[in-house]
Amino acid sequence: MTEVHTTHSPQTDVVSRDSRTVIRWTLTPDFEFLTNRNGQLPIDEWLHASTTEVVKSGEHRVVYRLQLESGEYFLKHFRVPDLQTFGQNVIRPSRAKLEWRAAQRVKETGIPTIDCVAVGERRVGGFVLDNFLLSKAIPDVIPLDEVLSDILPTYNSHREAQLRQLITREAGEVLGRLHRNSLYHPDLHPGNVLISSADLQAFESGTDTVRMWLIDLHSVQYRRRPSAQMACRDLALWHNFFARRCSRAERSRFFRAYTEEYPRHQFTATELSRRCTTELRHADRHGDRKWHRANSRQLIADRWGLFCRGIARLGIDWLKAFRSQPTSNANPVSESLAPELISWPMTPSERRPKHSAAHAWRMGHALLRRNLPTIEPWAVYEPKLRGQKAYLLLAPQSSFRPLPDVLDSTNQSADIESIASLIGRELDRLHHCGFYYREWDGSNVLIDQESMKLAWSHTHRLRQRRRSLSIRQRVKRLQEILPAFADRPRFQEHFLRSYTHRLTDSQQKQLRQELPLGRSGSAVSAECPPTFLRAA
């Protein structure tokens, strides 16, 4: 095991005075030119400059982008808004000082990270209050989450798979090197990883290298001895973001790269994968419980006898206007396409918990949290009194059409096979996450033929189990679904082949025994049963 010993470079202490107190800065010698004639950092001048931009703003932290003559910098202002944060600064170093030290340790491992320029603390009576970290901006980089959401879909399937493999392998090596040096990053998600845009451009020309930078290091922890528990926690956090965006082979490639970089880890790649899968189920249940409360993605505008929610980016003012007039045609965003408003007539005989706008809202976002395709619900309005209408506002979906309409208008066998394979794969993912349709018809599936994408519709019909569906439960659902394709035996074959692709041999054998293939009343075509499900 290799231990990391921090070697501090020569530093200069300077003092900046504001209108109330004194900020004492620790400045690296290479950036002494940033001080003014009085030997102080002109922090107030920078913050009030017209070129300064607020990147993030929250209760505990504000991030500024500074455009100075010497280049671009980022200034993090860590606030002390409550007694808990004040107490943390008493028993441990401030968050700015922690990130300053963590950046030095991470840089010593050879992992690219931020270049810290200065760290400052405002002290009153010997206690640290607001603290600051000034760092040099990393040029020509893109956050990894933007790469996954915006850049990857622009590549063809082959190049997209290659870039995913490259990012997966590099991420495994970076995380393995971090843990090999007893450093742990409990806030490691794609937003805290930067990718070189130059490497992405070179990738289009055939280069197979990509560089990653780690940022937001204030939560990085150092342990003198390796901690398997903390390593598994970091791996599980990273795995939760990529488990349903990568294939099983790519996840295996990640764990293999990690164990090759950190061969002394006490768990094998298979054991790490199993532990991360367990943690993923816990994270899903935690996210479902958290969704009932207001959070950074959901706004709550409930009233007595009224359930009203909306996504945070629409704003509370728009949500209140929607609450007062849900049938208004006002477009909440500046898009040419209008959202779709679905109404529920709440009749006294209707079983509200089974078919309600609130249930559709929860199921829709539960699918999105698991990276399962569906139309994003924007807002919901549901009175708790009988005899009133409930409303669900969905994002624009003009490119999607119901599955029956797509099949009726498609005559090419290649397109039908692609659609059948797509439905089989996505239905397997749906059942693997514990979701199933209580009532099935073709309108539960929306297809975009141009991009060959699927979206689950009618989320008010969805039900959820805590674990993946068992083989018997899957057979029961297949017996309800397959009759919808009774007149398309080839469609059934491609559908089932894709659905059972991830099942083990024993599971496929049990599925073959449970499905009444070739018998009277069969859910699957008796004339042409799928070859891979025929009895040996």
Side-chain angles (χ1 to χ4, degrees):
M1 181 65 198
T2 304
E3 285 193 4
V4 178
H5 300 280
T6 304
T7 57
H8 297 282
S9 59
Q11 301 165 352
T12 303
D13 291 342
V14 298
V15 176
S16 297
R17 296 183 181 274
D18 63 7
S19 58
R20 296 176 298 170
T21 53
V22 174
I23 304 176
R24 184 170 297 277
W25 292 87
T26 301
L27 183 69
T28 55
D30 295 339
F31 293 91
E32 290 184 357
F33 60 86
L34 293 176
T35 58
N36 56 21
R37 296 178 180 178
N38 300 325
Q40 300 174 357
L41 289 178
I43 184 71
D44 292 335
E45 297 179 10
W46 294 344
L47 295 182
H48 291 88
S50 59
T51 56
T52 299
E53 177 187 355
V54 178
V55 180
K56 294 180 181 179
S57 180
E59 183 182 7
H60 293 85
R61 182 182 62 170
V62 182
V63 182
Y64 302 93
R65 180 185 285 112
L66 308 177
Q67 295 291 345
L68 306 181
E69 294 181 358
S70 58
E72 184 178 353
Y73 297 82
F74 284 96
L75 177 66
K76 289 186 179 181
H77 175 193
F78 296 98
R79 297 171 169 173
V80 184
D82 49 40
L83 187 61
Q84 179 181 358
T85 308
F86 175 80
Q88 290 174 347
N89 288 345
V90 172
I91 63 178
R92 58 144 173 81
S94 63
R95 296 178 69 184
K97 187 64 70 68
L98 288 174
E99 187 162 0
W100 168 277
R101 296 176 181 176
Q104 293 176 331
R105 293 183 183 274
V106 171
K107 188 174 294 186
E108 289 173 358
T109 66
I111 300 174
T113 186
I114 58 175
D115 289 326
C116 293
V117 176
V119 59
E121 296 178 340
R122 176 183 287 120
R123 291 179 176 269
V124 176
F127 297 103
V128 177
L129 297 183
D130 292 7
N131 45 101
F132 305 83
L133 180 69
L134 182 65
S135 61
K136 192 79 169 63
I138 304 173
D140 199 26
V141 289
I142 306 174
L144 180 55
D145 53 355
E146 295 184 12
V147 174
L148 297 175
S149 61
D150 300 334
I151 296 180
L152 270 180
T154 61
Y155 295 143
N156 58 49
S157 58
H158 178 66
R159 297 295 288 172
E160 179 182 357
Q162 286 183 326
L163 184 56
R164 283 184 182 274
Q165 294 173 9
L166 188 61
I167 292 175
T168 301
R169 185 172 62 251
E170 181 67 19
E173 293 175 356
V174 167
L175 199 54
R177 193 180 310 166
L178 202 67
H179 290 171
R180 180 164 54 88
N181 290 278
S182 298
L183 294 173
Y184 304 94
H185 196 322
D187 192 28
L188 190 62
H189 58 82
N192 288 341
V193 177
L194 304 180
I195 298 291
S196 171
S197 58
D199 290 349
L200 294 178
Q201 295 175 0
F203 174 78
E204 298 179 2
S205 305
T207 306
D208 58 350
T209 58
V210 61
R211 289 171 293 174
M212 290 185 175
W213 282 262
L214 296 184
I215 62 173
D216 279 356
L217 306 177
H218 59 271
S219 59
V220 169
Q221 302 178 31
Y222 169 69
R223 292 289 185 271
R224 293 185 180 274
R225 297 181 179 180
S227 172
Q229 181 179 2
M230 296 182 67
C232 289
R233 179 201 59 189
D234 287 4
L235 285 169
L237 180 65
W238 185 261
H239 177 266
N240 290 352
F241 285 98
F242 289 91
R244 299 186 178 110
R245 294 174 174 85
C246 299
S247 65
R248 180 182 296 181
E250 290 171 348
R251 294 195 298 273
S252 176
R253 186 177 294 107
F254 167 80
F255 288 112
R256 187 165 57 249
Y258 173 83
T259 52
E260 289 176 357
E261 185 66 31
Y262 185 20
R264 295 186 179 181
H265 197 282
Q266 68 182 67
F267 299 118
T268 63
T270 303
E271 177 66 14
L272 288 173
S273 179
R274 186 190 67 80
R275 284 173 171 263
C276 287
T277 302
T278 302
E279 290 295 329
L280 179 60
R281 288 198 296 266
H282 295 332
D284 287 340
R285 290 197 291 268
H286 175 72
D288 293 339
R289 292 192 300 268
K290 187 178 179 181
W291 189 249
H292 292 277
R293 308 187 302 267
N295 52 65
S296 59
R297 295 180 177 86
Q298 177 181 223
L299 297 175
I300 296 180
D302 294 349
R303 280 182 174 176
W304 183 87
L306 177 65
F307 181 90
C308 184
R309 309 290 169 94
I311 56 177
R313 68 173 181 268
L314 298 181
I316 189 63
D317 294 334
W318 181 90
L319 184 60
K320 290 180 179 178
F322 175 78
R323 181 182 62 186
S324 61
Q325 188 63 36
T327 57
S328 175
N329 294 324
N331 199 338
V333 291
S334 57
E335 294 181 358
S336 57
L337 298 176
E340 179 183 4
L341 185 67
I342 302 176
S343 64
W344 266 267
M346 304 303 296
T347 60
S349 60
E350 184 177 0
R351 299 180 63 186
R352 293 179 65 254
K354 299 299 183 182
H355 297 85
S356 70
H359 182 77
W361 164 266
R362 296 189 185 99
M363 289 294 101
H365 286 282
L367 295 183
L368 294 174
R369 283 194 298 274
R370 293 160 173 81
N371 199 37
L372 297 174
T374 188
I375 305 300
E376 182 185 18
W378 279 0
V380 60
Y381 172 95
E382 180 174 282
K384 298 181 181 179
L385 299 177
R386 301 288 186 173
Q388 299 187 22
K389 284 189 176 181
Y391 298 92
L392 181 70
L393 187 70
L394 299 177
Q397 48 177 315
S398 60
S399 59
F400 286 93
R401 300 167 56 197
L403 177 62
D405 296 346
V406 173
L407 293 180
D408 292 341
S409 62
T410 302
N411 296 322
Q412 298 183 2
S413 59
D415 292 341
I416 295 178
E417 292 175 2
S418 299
I419 294 172
S421 300
L422 176 64
I423 296 175
R425 291 193 305 270
E426 294 298 336
L427 187 66
D428 171 60
R429 294 179 59 209
L430 190 75
H431 288 173
H432 181 73
C433 293
F435 295 90
Y436 66 94
Y437 275 99
R438 185 180 180 90
E439 302 170 7
W440 174 270
D441 58 38
S443 61
N444 292 339
V445 184
L446 301 178
I447 300 292
D448 183 358
Q449 286 183 273
E450 294 184 1
S451 60
M452 197 53 67
K453 293 183 179 180
L454 176 147
W456 297 114
S457 180
H458 295 177
T459 54
H460 61 282
R461 298 177 178 175
L462 277 174
R463 300 295 173 265
Q464 181 182 9
R465 295 182 181 274
R466 292 177 61 88
R467 295 184 177 273
S468 302
L469 268 65
S470 65
I471 290 297
R472 289 186 178 275
Q473 292 167 343
R474 287 177 179 243
V475 169
K476 180 180 178 180
R477 301 306 162 191
L478 288 176
Q479 289 174 345
E480 298 173 355
I481 294 171
L482 290 176
F485 312 125
D487 57 342
R488 296 179 180 270
R490 296 292 297 175
F491 189 96
Q492 287 186 353
E493 181 170 356
H494 290 287
F495 166 79
L496 286 173
R497 180 181 290 114
S498 300
Y499 182 87
T500 59
H501 177 69
R502 296 197 305 174
L503 299 182
T504 63
D505 293 339
S506 60
Q507 290 174 330
Q508 286 197 22
K509 181 179 179 181
Q510 185 175 355
L511 186 66
R512 182 172 58 240
Q513 295 173 350
E514 295 289 341
L515 280 177
L517 298 177
R519 299 194 290 269
S520 60
S522 172
V524 186
S525 173
E527 292 88 4
C528 185
T531 55
F532 63 95
L533 286 179
R534 292 174 185 167

